[in-house]
Structures are given as structure tokens and as C-alpha cells.
């Protein structure tokens, strides 16, 4: 499930992949198991990405940066944790 957070008895349990659809054309996902919290995504696309309480990347606003900037952030991720995928219909 994209963009969802499961609540467990011990608190919030983040999903493995977190994503937000973008402009009806792209979906941005972050693989939390791969993310090491380097912050490269924040350097390139600070409006789109943030860090959670575990210092792992999350998508905070998919419309804040142009797709080309988000693509550079994804390509710069040292663990390839950020993925861009075209939505159906492209």
C-alpha cells in the first residue's frame, strides 16, 4: 500500500515502501530497507523529500519540485532507494 502507515500496539510501524502519486503521471517511492539516510535527496529536492524520525527519506510533497529535479535526486541516491515509475496510461 503506497503512502500508508500501519499502527501497531507498540506505535507506528512504517511500510517498507512509501510513495505518493505525482501529477497523474509519476509515482515516487522510497524503499525504507534500502535507505541509509544520506540526505542526498534533500540536497537536490528538498521540497519533495524529508527525513522521518529514523532519518530515512520520505516523500513529503510530490508537487514541490519539477520531475527533472526529483529524477536527479533519485539518480544521486547512493543505495538506489528512490524509484520513479510512470503511472498507468503513459
Amino acid at each position: 500500500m503506497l503512502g500508508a502507515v500501519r499502527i501497531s500496539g507498540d506505535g507506528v510501524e512504517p511500510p517498507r515502501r512509501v510513495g505518493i502519486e505525482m501529477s497523474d503521471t509519476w509515482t515516487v517511492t522510497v524503499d525504507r530497507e534500502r535507505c541509509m539516510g544520506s540526505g542526498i535527496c534533500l540536497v537536490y529536492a528538498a521540497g519533495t523529500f524529508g527525513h522521518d524520525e529514523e532519518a530515512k527519506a520520505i516523500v513529503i510533497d510530490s508537487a514541490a519540485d519539477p520531475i527533472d529535479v526529483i529524477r536527479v535526486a533519485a539518480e544521486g541516491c547512493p543505495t538506489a532507494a528512490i524509484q520513479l515509475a510512470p503511472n498507468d496510461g503513459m
Side-chain angles (χ1 to χ4, degrees):
M1 184 175 348
L2 295 177
V5 175
R6 294 184 307 271
I7 306 296
S8 69
D10 297 79
V12 176
E13 180 183 324
R16 180 175 176 269
R17 293 174 85 62
V18 182
I20 295 178
E21 289 193 7
M22 183 175 178
S23 313
D24 296 327
T25 345
W26 294 92
T27 298
V28 181
T29 58
V30 176
D31 185 330
R32 294 180 53 81
E33 291 181 11
R34 285 185 161 202
C35 180
M36 62 183 252
S38 73
I40 295 294
C41 56
L42 295 171
V43 170
Y44 288 109
T48 300
F49 298 100
H51 275 163
D52 65 9
E53 63 281 346
E54 296 177 23
K56 297 210 178 202
I58 57 171
V59 178
I60 56 173
D61 184 355
S62 63
D65 295 299
I67 188 64
D68 292 342
V69 171
I70 298 169
R71 186 173 288 117
V72 169
E75 290 170 355
C77 179
T79 60
I82 300 169
Q83 301 294 316
L84 294 174
N87 290 336
D88 292 339
M90 284 219 33

